[in-house]
Amino acid sequence: MKKAIKDFRDIFKGRLFVVLLFVLFSVFVQSQAILTLYPSDIPNSKPSAIKESGIGMYKDVTVPTLEYFKPNNEKASGTAIIIVPGGGYSVVVYDGEGVSTAKALAEKGIAAFVLKYRLPNDAIMTDKKIGPLQDAQQAIKLVRDNAEKWGLDKNKIGIMGFSAGGHLASTAATHFGKWYIENKENTTLRPDFQILVYPVISMTDSLTHSGSRDNLLGKNPSREDVDLFSNELQVQSDTPPAYLTHTADDKVVDVDNSIVYFEKLRHHKVPVEMHIYPKGDHGFIFKHPGWMEPLFSWLESNAWLKK
């Protein structure tokens, strides 16, 4: 019995700090609500028997949503970030890239919104090329229109994307001049900044992730569509400031996607910071627990995060 008590005490002492951190962290990272993205009809949709499936990783999404993670009140900066998980435009890696990132941002005082977006599919959309972009634009509009209600600064709303979600985020950051949704309020759909993590940027043969391109544009896309959705070709002087991170050994999405985008932004005098790690391959965030520290420094230096 004495040995059992001693063992328990050792375990307790060894884990108490971790448990306390978990409890304190949980206070700040509980999801507040899951919001339906559109108030009424979903644009560019058509009747289908397809049903969403999955737990934590979703496919066949037909009803897009935003999940809101309220920021730590003591650190709240008024900044919001819409998080777009990846998945090659075939699934949404919702928990791994979305929820886990949202919790880390919320603990730092940033309101985080995880976007579950429709995946391009001719069976559920009239034009599958623009379906995900419609959802990203609607997410920006929803957060900006409700900024005052949520205690946010409508001029501090960024977008963050991973892999193919990085393509969608960069599409929102370069195509904001054309509205693909109803916007009677004339709400600006330009994100105030963009954060791209091992992103697909280009649809060109030499750079693209072929699976993402096939799913979004089809097997034989036109040159016009390839150019339109190659976001390095859409950069302008008013493109939002950017933070890019990737690994040099990424065998799924070539790091040149980030490098080419960086160069285009730089030449248009758009503020951009890039961090390239030598190793880690695709999805390196799951192997590199400190990957967000440089991001937090960048957010802080731009007054999107409190010092």
Side-chain angles (χ1 to χ4, degrees):
M1 177 63 73
K2 288 182 179 180
K3 183 179 184 301
I5 293 173
K6 182 180 183 300
D7 289 344
F8 174 77
R9 285 175 176 168
D10 290 342
I11 293 170
F12 181 77
K13 289 176 182 177
R15 296 183 180 175
L16 177 59
F17 183 66
V18 175
V19 170
L20 286 174
L21 280 180
F22 177 78
V23 171
L24 289 171
F25 185 69
S26 297
V27 170
F28 303 119
V29 299
Q30 297 302 312
S31 170
Q32 300 299 303
I34 296 180
L35 312 167
T36 301
L37 206 55
Y38 296 96
S40 54
D41 294 339
I42 299 171
N44 186 33
S45 62
K46 57 187 183 182
S48 171
I50 289 176
K51 301 289 186 183
E52 178 184 309
S53 63
I55 299 175
M57 183 183 295
Y58 300 99
K59 62 182 296 187
D60 297 327
V61 176
T62 56
V63 179
T65 60
L66 268 184
E67 186 169 5
Y68 173 38
F69 290 80
K70 187 176 180 181
N72 178 341
N73 285 332
E74 294 180 359
K75 302 178 183 179
S77 60
T79 300
I81 294 179
I82 295 160
I83 301 167
V84 188
Y89 282 125
S90 63
V91 297
V92 178
V93 186
Y94 193 84
D95 282 0
E97 291 173 339
V99 172
S100 61
T101 305
K103 289 180 177 181
L105 291 172
E107 195 280 329
K108 288 287 187 177
I110 291 175
F113 296 83
V114 183
L115 176 62
K116 187 197 290 184
Y117 54 99
R118 288 173 295 165
L119 297 159
N121 188 334
D122 290 323
I124 65 170
M125 297 172 181
T126 304
D127 183 354
K128 72 174 184 176
K129 299 187 299 295
I130 64 169
L133 178 55
Q134 289 176 306
D135 295 350
Q137 288 192 336
Q138 181 67 18
I140 294 167
K141 174 175 166 54
L142 180 63
V143 174
R144 188 161 273 139
D145 286 349
N146 289 279
E148 184 176 354
K149 181 176 75 174
W150 290 324
L152 305 175
D153 185 334
K154 66 180 182 180
N155 298 312
K156 290 184 176 183
I157 297 171
I159 193 164
M160 179 179 191
F162 298 77
S163 195
H167 181 265
L168 181 50
S170 63
T171 304
T174 53
H175 292 245
F176 56 84
K178 182 176 181 179
W179 301 342
Y180 291 88
I181 58 170
E182 186 177 283
N183 187 11
K184 294 177 181 177
E185 298 80 8
N186 293 324
T187 302
T188 176
L189 302 182
R190 177 187 181 271
D192 294 299
F193 56 90
Q194 52 181 317
I195 301 166
L196 308 178
V197 185
Y198 40 85
V200 178
I201 294 292
S202 186
M203 293 285 111
T204 60
D205 291 340
S206 60
L207 284 178
T208 196
H209 173 249
S210 59
S212 296
R213 184 174 77 172
D214 289 351
N215 287 327
L216 184 66
L217 303 182
K219 292 284 187 181
N220 299 293
S222 67
R223 172 51 55 186
E224 180 182 12
D225 283 342
V226 167
D227 289 349
L228 181 63
F229 288 96
S230 290
N231 294 324
E232 77 278 14
L233 303 179
Q234 307 304 323
V235 173
Q236 302 293 334
S237 59
D238 59 351
T239 298
Y243 177 95
L244 312 173
T245 187
H246 219 125
T247 60
D249 68 344
D250 194 323
K251 292 183 283 294
V252 177
V253 176
D254 196 302
V255 67
D256 281 348
N257 279 266
S258 287
I259 293 171
V260 167
Y261 197 55
F262 175 91
E263 285 296 296
K264 291 291 186 179
L265 292 164
R266 184 175 70 86
H267 286 298
H268 281 83
K269 302 188 185 309
V270 175
V272 56
E273 183 170 323
M274 180 166 63
H275 291 256
I276 298 178
Y277 297 92
K279 294 185 180 298
D281 208 342
H282 199 63
F284 76 90
I285 65 167
F286 300 107
K287 312 163 197 172
H288 192 332
W291 75 273
M292 294 187 80
E293 293 309 314
L295 171 59
F296 293 145
S297 295
W298 179 78
L299 289 166
E300 184 178 295
S301 68
N302 286 280
W304 294 312
L305 189 67
K306 278 189 176 180
K307 292 184 179 180

